[in-house]
Amino acid sequence: MMAFIEQLIAQDGALFGRFLTLFFAIVLSRAAPLPKHIQPLFWLSQLAKELARKVNHPHRARSQQITAGILASVLLIVPFWAICAFLLELAAFPWFFEFIILYLCLSDACFRQFANEIHGVLKLDNKAEARELLGHWVAQDTQSLSEIGLAKTTIEKLSAAPVYGLISTIFYYTIAGAPLVLAVRMIKQLELSWPIVNPRYRYFALCIYLFNTILQLIPNLLWGLTLAIISGPAGFKALFKFKNDNASMAFDQQINAVTASALKIELGGPRMFAGKKVALPRLKYGPKPGLEDIKRGINLTSFGFIIWFAFVALIPIIWAILRYMQP
């Protein structure tokens, strides 16, 4: 047995090392997430919003807005990404820096804990604090949200966050390691900072939205399938028969449709951005969500997380067994 373990380490040590790095990054991000205000990706988001205030001029021609958005994206992503990638190349222990990058990129996967906080303050009928807590996580205005609106927005964030916070990290880390994960996550952070459904960013964020849509295509499908498996035939029907007349946020709306079908509630509907109402389709699979539906949403997405966490944990074990069975 010892000889087999030594041979396994010699042959596949790098592979097992990468899976261990990913495994412990997921564990730490779930057990001890960083507060939102000290997350580097949150700082990137704030920087993106400040830059957009200076260079995004919605009254200008469409081509000028698109060009400004492309240049702003390059300015925000390339220098910071290049520094991190350079540090990884120079590091004596690159696994440590990979672990840090993965931990930071998994930050939004911990939204479950903040959803529990929002549920707790709503039980105390403290809507003002719930709006403030949720406002740190979504781009839309939350100050005018009712309890139904708070529940709906919290559930929508719960269903969307694992796509880029967990599935995308696992998928791109498996393909090309931490540098690609970081690049994909930074692009997603800009898309979250400049939501295309906000009229102010309709053209400014168009290219970053299209690029991110391509990058998140497979993670969206994988997470949608995960939720559909959990919820059964109704979930598969919502996933594959979903129709959206508005191309903006099509994949997010598809994930929301599966979630709404699984919980038998209504999601979607209009959102407010800087006091302006933006119409989005309502996904009616039952009554409007209430306080306890937040808990049901937490349970649903937590089950999906367990499935993917088990996948990450079992793949190295299955690989070792297959190696052992080889003649």
Side-chain angles (χ1 to χ4, degrees):
M1 179 60 73
M2 287 301 298
F4 167 72
I5 293 174
E6 290 175 2
Q7 182 184 3
L8 188 65
I9 293 173
Q11 290 180 333
D12 303 308
L15 176 66
F16 282 94
R18 291 183 68 180
F19 269 100
L20 282 173
T21 302
L22 178 60
F23 176 84
F24 285 110
I26 294 173
V27 170
L28 186 62
S29 68
R30 196 71 167 182
L34 280 176
K36 186 71 173 178
H37 66 280
I38 63 172
Q39 293 176 10
L41 287 166
F42 176 73
W43 301 339
L44 175 67
S45 183
Q46 297 301 107
L47 187 60
K49 291 174 184 177
E50 288 299 321
L51 183 60
R53 287 193 186 100
K54 296 182 181 296
V55 302
N56 178 29
H57 303 286
H59 61 276
R60 291 184 177 175
R62 182 188 307 181
S63 59
Q64 289 180 310
Q65 294 180 59
I66 292 173
T67 302
I70 293 171
L71 293 175
S73 301
V74 171
L75 180 62
L76 288 165
I77 291 173
V78 173
F80 297 116
W81 179 85
I83 291 170
C84 293
F86 186 65
L87 287 174
L88 275 173
E89 289 296 322
L90 291 181
F93 301 101
W95 61 266
F96 176 75
F97 289 96
E98 287 195 353
F99 174 81
I100 295 298
I101 289 172
L102 291 174
Y103 172 65
L104 295 175
C105 290
L106 287 160
S107 57
D108 275 24
C110 71
F111 180 70
R112 175 185 68 95
Q113 298 188 16
F114 296 92
N116 270 317
E117 283 188 47
I118 292 168
H119 177 267
V121 297
L122 281 176
K123 283 189 75 172
L124 300 174
D125 200 29
N126 190 347
K127 295 186 184 67
E129 187 176 350
R131 292 181 186 119
E132 184 178 353
L133 284 169
L134 188 57
H136 294 305
W137 289 92
V138 296
Q140 70 190 80
D141 297 345
T142 59
Q143 294 308 309
S144 61
L145 289 178
S146 63
E147 183 175 307
I148 290 173
L150 288 166
K152 185 180 291 188
T153 307
T154 302
I155 294 168
E156 289 173 351
K157 183 66 178 179
L158 275 167
S159 67
V163 174
Y164 61 89
L166 177 66
I167 313 301
S168 179
T169 301
I170 295 172
F171 179 72
Y172 284 108
Y173 184 66
T174 304
I175 291 175
L180 182 58
V181 171
L182 180 61
V184 171
R185 185 65 180 83
M186 291 175 76
I187 291 168
K188 178 62 182 181
Q189 195 65 32
L190 292 190
E191 194 249 348
L192 291 172
S193 305
W194 305 329
I196 197 171
V197 292
N198 185 341
R200 180 175 177 79
Y201 300 120
R202 181 170 297 153
Y203 302 115
F204 180 78
L206 181 60
C207 287
I208 204 75
Y209 166 76
L210 294 174
F211 194 24
N212 181 71
T213 298
I214 295 169
L215 290 172
Q216 300 295 336
L217 179 63
I218 294 177
N220 265 290
L221 178 60
L222 292 173
W223 181 243
L225 285 170
T226 304
L227 294 178
I229 290 169
I230 295 170
S231 56
F236 280 101
K237 183 178 179 181
L239 179 64
F240 293 110
K241 293 189 176 181
F242 171 75
K243 293 181 180 179
N244 187 17
D245 297 330
N246 187 344
S248 300
M249 298 182 67
F251 288 121
D252 285 348
Q253 291 294 305
Q254 188 177 36
I255 295 296
N256 287 339
V258 180
T259 305
S261 173
L263 300 178
K264 294 180 173 56
I265 57 173
E266 177 189 307
L267 292 177
R271 299 183 182 184
M272 297 289 291
F273 295 95
K276 296 181 180 178
K277 183 180 288 189
V278 176
L280 288 173
R282 295 182 185 273
L283 308 169
K284 296 184 178 181
Y285 292 88
K288 296 181 187 297
L291 183 59
E292 290 311 309
D293 290 311
I294 296 177
K295 273 293 185 185
R296 294 173 61 225
I298 292 171
N299 293 335
L300 175 70
T301 53
S302 294
F303 193 18
F305 172 87
I306 291 169
I307 290 173
W308 279 92
F309 182 71
F311 170 78
V312 172
L314 288 174
I315 286 296
I317 297 172
I318 294 170
W319 184 263
I321 292 171
L322 291 174
R323 281 288 196 189
Y324 184 76
M325 293 174 64
Q326 281 183 344

